[in-house]
Amino acid sequence: MTTGEPYSMRDPSILSDSVWHPGIPHEFRNNVVLGDARKLIRKIPDESIDLILCDPVYGNIDDYRWLSREGKRVLKPGGSVVAQYGNYFQLEVLNAMAEHLDFVWPLVESLILPNSHFDRKVISRLKFYAWFSKGARRKERWMVDIIPGGGKSKEWHKWGDHPRVFQFIISRLTSPGDVVLDPFTGAGTVPVACLSLGRNFIAFDIDPTAVETARKRIETAPRPLLLEEQLKLL
């Protein structure tokens, strides 16, 4: 796996029922790819992705504008984009993503340990996610807008998040075999969450160290959760 071999090639039984758009490059399928997401995404065909789930660079509004534009192209009709953002940039983020997508709802992760913003004298117990869709949302499952956090998880990456929140979002907005795209994957938390739920993923990152870490992490990723365990996320 450290050479970049797709996870599904190492054990095809993991996601044997998945269906990929034929235009998606083989090397993208259930793999963490090193490179600039803005260039790599050009190889993804129109209307081939079910969900984009990511944590863009903090405060970089151009990332959200790009997500809106590319999301409209690569998402299947009714697919969603869920992007984490810093509380202070809420207005700019929502306006940028609304350029090409339809606003659905703000999602909030409740933090076990609060973040202290000393420059503004604010203690934040919330982490925000912008949820947009391409047209009318096609997954008609109920979503909870306040999601219990899983605590800090910096074992793999200094900006790492606990997979529990991503597992919850994925479980509500996709079905087994669907394809999730994470263009800024860092140490691969979203891919690990996908594998635990029997979803396919495409992941990009521009940092070679992060990509190597993510690939090593995926090597030990668990097989899909048992139904009883998945129900605990609902």
Side-chain angles (χ1 to χ4, degrees):
M1 188 64 184
T2 55
T3 61
E5 181 184 28
Y7 185 94
S8 56
M9 290 299 295
R10 182 165 54 84
D11 187 349
S13 67
I14 294 293
L15 298 168
S16 58
D17 294 330
S18 62
V19 178
W20 290 87
H21 187 290
I24 293 178
H26 183 78
E27 64 272 19
F28 282 14
R29 304 180 184 189
N30 294 323
N31 196 20
V32 180
V33 182
L34 174 63
D36 185 344
R38 283 173 167 74
K39 297 178 180 178
L40 292 171
I41 203 169
R42 297 170 189 167
K43 298 181 181 181
I44 295 180
D46 295 355
E47 299 190 348
S48 60
I49 302 297
D50 297 281
L51 169 66
I52 300 175
L53 177 58
C54 61
D55 181 8
V57 175
Y58 183 80
N60 189 348
I61 306 305
D62 285 341
D63 282 349
Y64 299 92
R65 190 169 289 110
W66 173 79
L67 279 173
S68 177
R69 182 177 66 253
E70 290 298 325
K72 181 179 181 180
R73 182 182 71 81
V74 303
L75 283 174
K76 298 175 183 177
S80 291
V81 177
V82 178
Q84 190 179 133
Y85 64 90
N87 307 17
Y88 183 74
F89 302 99
Q90 184 178 58
L91 182 59
E92 293 94 330
V93 166
L94 296 182
N95 285 335
M97 293 189 66
E99 290 181 6
H100 301 284
L101 297 171
D102 298 313
F103 176 71
V104 181
W105 205 263
L107 303 178
V108 178
E109 174 187 353
S110 59
L111 301 177
I112 294 176
L113 296 176
N115 289 325
S116 299
H117 301 273
F118 294 99
D119 56 336
R120 298 180 181 90
K121 299 189 185 317
V122 172
I123 296 175
S124 174
R125 295 186 176 274
L126 304 174
K127 186 180 290 185
F128 287 87
Y129 297 77
W131 177 18
F132 284 75
S133 67
K134 178 180 177 178
R137 175 188 164 206
R138 67 181 176 90
K139 300 295 183 183
E140 295 303 329
R141 300 186 68 191
W142 285 87
M143 172 64 82
V144 177
D145 58 3
I146 299 181
I147 306 168
K152 291 186 177 182
S153 181
K154 308 302 181 185
E155 175 185 1
W156 299 97
H157 193 279
K158 65 179 180 179
W159 299 112
D161 291 296
H162 195 281
R164 174 181 168 81
V165 174
F166 295 127
Q167 285 175 322
F168 185 88
I169 293 171
I170 292 166
S171 73
R172 306 310 293 178
L173 299 182
T174 65
S175 301
D178 281 356
V179 179
V180 179
L181 170 64
D182 181 357
F184 315 109
T185 200
T189 304
V190 169
V192 168
C194 287
L195 291 174
S196 73
L197 296 169
R199 272 62 165 179
N200 291 290
F201 71 87
I202 299 172
F204 303 143
D205 203 275
I206 202 167
D207 180 358
T209 301
V211 168
E212 183 67 15
T213 299
R215 289 174 178 169
K216 290 179 179 178
R217 185 179 183 186
I218 290 168
E219 284 184 345
T220 59
R223 289 174 177 270
L225 295 174
L226 297 176
L227 177 60
E228 300 81 42
E229 294 174 315
Q230 291 193 38
L231 289 175
K232 295 177 183 177
L233 300 172
L234 306 181

